[in-house]
Amino acid sequence: MAVTLESIKEAQLKIAPYIVETPLLRADALDEFLGCEVYLKLENMQVTQSFKYRGAISKMLTLSMEEKQNGIITASSGNHGKAVAHAARTLGITATVVVPDTASPFKVGAIKQLGATVIECDVTERFAMSARLAEAHGYTLFHPYDDAEIIMGQGTAGLEIMSQHPALDTVIVPTSGGGLLGGILTAIKQSKADISILGAEPHNMPRYSESLAQKKRVKVESTSTIADALVTDQPGERNFPIVQMYADGMLKASETSISKATKLLLMEGKILAEPSGAISLAAILDGSYLPAADEKVCFVISGGNVGFEQLAQLETVQYE
Amino acid sequence: MAVTLESIKEAQLKIAPYIVETPLLRADALDEFLGCEVYLKLENMQVTQSFKYRGAISKMLTLSMEEKQNGIITASSGNHGKAVAHAARTLGITATVVVPDTASPFKVGAIKQLGATVIECDVTERFAMSARLAEAHGYTLFHPYDDAEIIMGQGTAGLEIMSQHPALDTVIVPTSGGGLLGGILTAIKQSKADISILGAEPHNMPRYSESLAQKKRVKVESTSTIADALVTDQPGERNFPIVQMYADGMLKASETSISKATKLLLMEGKILAEPSGAISLAAILDGSYLPAADEKVCFVISGGNVGFEQLAQLETVQYE
């Protein structure tokens, strides 16, 4: 099934009873720091504290009775795994989650608490391993982003953004495999809304910037980043063409800027996000994009799964 | 000038260009912890990070040219002082702030940064000292809560609550001297809205609970509380009759519950408040009020002035 505006609208109807329509806030206090009119789409307030629940529950609801009985498996750096585990529990389905060794212990703990079986492996092996186990056990494989149903689910965030504030100029979307970006792009661009949409990814893992420059899906070196939810080394096969067709640009953010953005959002914006969720602000702090002073920019805060202990890392960070 | 719904509406028009209409959020993730439908009125996102700016700028705008030239003085545990300092700077007025020794260094630092002169004294002496200095230097005295103009300004939060969500069942308001509670009560009760309004104060300093029980303004012992913005030992003279006439109840919260509420709001609600600002949630955690499961309860988050170092105090707090 192709990812279209129509299919995203259908997904929205289907998942409405399960998800939160997250707030889109005007955050005046951040204007002076980011140099524009700041709006925040708070997916850190979504069920399981990230946008991932949209796609997870959307796909879970399409399973046949037999697939439900056989159980599902997925590979995830944390947020998708938590979302899948929660969606599976909600619908009474057995779930296995393969997590990379880069995943935050906080996130892995949350997945276990939701009753899923957790298997750890090297970050570069996780998709191959989950595919092998799916084959061996008859599990349905839930790819975290390279899946039409998942992209449609994530796209519902784009429909909400348009209905909550139709007059935005720009939306900046945290990007890893491209599920959220692909979904939001399809929803907003196929609606013919006059909104510029940019992705934001870690400078350490610029899989989309490189791929767009080379006009093909490039695999980048797998390095570490504080943005532990954004560690995919290559754009998804289904996601890349959507990004290539519709995105107005791809921004990069340094590790320092990601830390600064997380602390700025907390101390001045009063919103707790995980570092990956604050990367859209980081791209601005980095000078990767220079908005106009009266530009209405919506920063998608993609997730909030961060342990209290992790906040200590921000203690010495200065954002001014 | 009497505090009436009409005067609060006038204040709202007057201060509109200076303040933020703060968000009123539906916070689904907190429902299971608080046992009701949770709404948050986010005054921690107000200018100077607390509701106090409403009253401060409202009163500042009423000064005559001569009063403006002579400067102003106030006594404050922090948030009011910061608000007054900011309002004074905005209108080009000299400000002196008398702060008690119980004030958080974080707040005192912010007041100094805004260009106000800071004088420290014992917490029980602060009003007498500011009155003496006002007399001696010809400053206009800005009482933090026992002042009609200040109460009207704070009441504008009540007007916003009604326009942002007219179908609430209950509003819970952090209470110290009674400026915010008095203003919100006047705005909502004189509008004949069918909303129950409760105050919340620290168990350690129950000035309103005691005064309401004894039907007169009682002075309670000045003890310490983590809710450093709620340290007034006696209800205000102008505030008490309003609270007596209109309030549907006064809740108390223990120190433990205040810490738990602050961490709960941060980790599950994704909102950073200072402990005083989270006391309305604390009253529920304490069992001081038992809402119905389908009750729409709006928790006024009165402020967010908390230093990053202070968050460390929450590390070992368990809210579940």
Side-chain angles (χ1 to χ4, degrees):
Chain A
M1 193 178 178
V3 180
T4 60
L5 174 59
E6 222 31 65
S7 68
I8 295 171
K9 285 183 177 169
E10 282 167 29
Q12 187 178 38
L13 284 175
K14 190 175 64 180
I15 68 178
Y18 298 94
I19 67 154
V20 167
E21 181 177 330
T22 58
L24 192 156
L25 276 197
R26 174 76 177 94
D28 304 72
L30 296 175
D31 291 5
E32 60 171 296
F33 297 95
L34 299 171
C36 56
E37 275 190 34
V38 178
Y39 295 80
L40 305 173
K41 176 61 175 169
L42 295 175
E43 285 296 300
N44 56 339
M45 296 187 185
Q46 188 50 267
V47 180
T48 68
Q49 303 192 354
S50 89
F51 74 93
K52 291 284 192 180
Y53 194 64
R54 296 176 184 271
I57 190 74
S58 188
K59 185 172 172 75
M60 202 77 74
L61 288 165
T62 66
L63 298 183
S64 69
M65 189 59 73
E66 194 191 339
E67 287 169 325
K68 284 182 182 167
Q69 282 166 350
N70 290 342
I72 65 96
I73 189 165
T74 194
S76 166
S77 60
N79 286 341
H80 172 69
K82 186 177 172 188
V84 165
H86 192 291
R89 195 181 64 169
T90 302
L91 302 182
I93 297 169
T94 311
T96 304
V97 181
V98 179
V99 301
D101 45 13
T102 55
S104 91
F106 179 79
K107 291 180 180 179
V108 175
I111 295 168
K112 287 180 183 165
Q113 239 185 352
L114 286 164
T117 303
V118 169
I119 296 171
E120 295 196 27
C121 74
D122 187 87
V123 63
T124 57
E125 305 268 308
R126 65 197 198 278
F127 294 123
M129 177 173 290
S130 54
R132 266 202 313 278
L133 289 168
E135 181 71 27
H137 297 278
Y139 300 148
T140 297
L141 184 62
F142 269 53
H143 196 284
Y145 52 84
D146 199 349
D147 180 295
E149 195 66 45
I150 295 280
I151 299 171
M152 290 170 206
Q154 321 305 31
T156 61
L159 297 181
E160 288 179 17
I161 289 170
M162 283 186 291
S163 80
Q164 291 171 314
H165 201 300
L168 295 167
D169 297 306
T170 308
V171 176
I172 308 182
V173 185
T175 303
S176 185
L180 182 60
L181 180 59
I184 290 179
L185 281 169
T186 305
I188 295 183
K189 295 295 186 178
Q190 290 192 0
S191 297
K192 313 263 182 238
D194 186 20
I195 300 175
S196 168
I197 304 177
L198 308 166
E201 62 186 354
H203 209 288
N204 279 4
M205 293 198 71
R207 83 290 290 177
Y208 266 99
S209 303
E210 292 293 318
S211 299
L212 289 168
Q214 297 189 33
K215 298 191 169 60
K216 60 174 189 198
R217 294 167 57 233
V218 171
K219 187 178 278 200
V220 297
E221 196 194 343
S222 204
T223 55
S224 95
T225 166
I226 187 177
D228 61 51
L230 309 177
V231 294
T232 296
D233 59 5
Q234 188 175 27
E237 204 174 324
R238 284 170 191 74
N239 316 77
F240 184 63
I242 303 175
V243 174
Q244 216 178 7
M245 188 177 348
Y246 290 131
D248 294 285
M250 185 62 55
L251 313 177
K252 289 188 278 190
S254 68
E255 296 297 299
T256 309
S257 292
I258 297 170
S259 292
K260 279 186 188 175
T262 308
K263 188 159 181 180
L264 171 67
L265 187 58
L266 180 64
M267 300 311 290
E268 305 295 333
K270 301 298 160 194
I271 297 290
L272 178 61
E274 58 184 284
S276 306
I279 195 172
S280 46
L281 286 76
I284 303 271
L285 294 181
D286 236 4
S288 179
Y289 179 68
L290 189 69
D294 64 348
E295 190 171 330
K296 292 178 171 57
V297 182
C298 175
F299 298 84
V300 178
I301 308 301
S302 52
N305 283 302
V306 57
F308 193 85
E309 321 74 53
Q310 286 171 269
L311 295 181
Q313 295 175 14
L314 299 176
E315 183 153 4
T316 57
V317 173
Q318 304 278 341
Y319 53 80
E320 286 184 289
Chain B
M1 192 177 178
V3 180
T4 61
L5 173 59
E6 222 31 64
S7 68
I8 295 172
K9 285 183 178 170
E10 282 168 29
Q12 187 177 39
L13 284 175
K14 190 176 64 181
I15 69 178
Y18 299 93
I19 68 155
V20 166
E21 181 177 330
T22 58
L24 193 156
L25 276 197
R26 175 77 177 92
D28 304 71
L30 296 176
D31 290 6
E32 61 171 296
F33 297 96
L34 298 170
C36 56
E37 274 189 35
V38 178
Y39 295 79
L40 305 173
K41 176 62 174 169
L42 295 174
E43 284 297 298
N44 57 338
M45 296 186 184
Q46 187 50 265
V47 180
T48 70
Q49 303 193 354
S50 88
F51 74 94
K52 292 283 191 179
Y53 194 65
R54 297 176 183 271
I57 190 72
S58 187
K59 185 172 173 75
M60 202 78 72
L61 289 166
T62 66
L63 298 183
S64 69
M65 191 58 74
E66 194 191 340
E67 287 169 326
K68 284 182 182 166
Q69 281 165 351
N70 290 341
I72 64 96
I73 189 166
T74 194
S76 167
S77 60
N79 286 341
H80 172 69
K82 185 177 173 189
V84 165
H86 192 289
R89 196 181 64 169
T90 302
L91 302 182
I93 298 170
T94 311
T96 304
V97 182
V98 179
V99 300
D101 45 14
T102 55
S104 91
F106 178 79
K107 292 180 179 179
V108 175
I111 296 168
K112 287 179 182 164
Q113 238 185 351
L114 286 163
T117 303
V118 169
I119 297 172
E120 296 197 25
C121 74
D122 187 88
V123 63
T124 59
E125 305 269 309
R126 66 196 198 278
F127 295 123
M129 177 173 289
S130 54
R132 268 203 312 279
L133 289 168
E135 182 70 26
H137 298 278
Y139 300 146
T140 297
L141 184 62
F142 269 54
H143 196 285
Y145 51 84
D146 200 349
D147 180 297
E149 196 64 45
I150 295 279
I151 300 171
M152 291 169 205
Q154 320 305 30
T156 60
L159 297 181
E160 287 179 16
I161 288 170
M162 283 186 291
S163 80
Q164 290 171 314
H165 200 300
L168 294 168
D169 297 306
T170 307
V171 176
I172 307 183
V173 186
T175 302
S176 185
L180 182 59
L181 180 58
I184 289 179
L185 281 169
T186 306
I188 295 183
K189 295 294 186 179
Q190 291 192 1
S191 297
K192 311 263 184 240
D194 186 20
I195 301 176
S196 169
I197 304 177
L198 308 165
E201 63 187 353
H203 209 288
N204 280 4
M205 292 199 70
R207 84 293 287 176
Y208 266 100
S209 302
E210 291 293 316
S211 299
L212 289 168
Q214 297 189 34
K215 297 190 170 59
K216 62 174 188 198
R217 293 167 59 232
V218 171
K219 187 179 277 200
V220 297
E221 196 194 344
S222 205
T223 55
S224 94
T225 166
I226 186 177
D228 61 52
L230 309 177
V231 294
T232 296
D233 58 5
Q234 189 175 29
E237 204 174 325
R238 283 170 191 77
N239 316 78
F240 184 63
I242 303 174
V243 174
Q244 217 178 8
M245 189 178 344
Y246 291 132
D248 294 285
M250 186 62 57
L251 313 176
K252 289 187 280 192
S254 67
E255 296 298 298
T256 309
S257 294
I258 298 170
S259 292
K260 279 185 190 179
T262 309
K263 187 156 180 181
L264 172 67
L265 187 59
L266 180 63
M267 299 311 291
E268 305 294 335
K270 301 297 159 193
I271 297 290
L272 178 60
E274 58 184 283
S276 306
I279 195 172
S280 47
L281 285 75
I284 304 272
L285 294 181
D286 237 2
S288 179
Y289 179 69
L290 189 69
D294 63 349
E295 191 171 329
K296 292 178 172 56
V297 182
C298 174
F299 298 84
V300 178
I301 308 301
S302 52
N305 284 300
V306 57
F308 193 84
E309 321 72 56
Q310 286 171 270
L311 294 182
Q313 293 174 15
L314 299 176
E315 182 153 5
T316 57
V317 172
Q318 303 278 340
Y319 53 78
E320 286 183 288

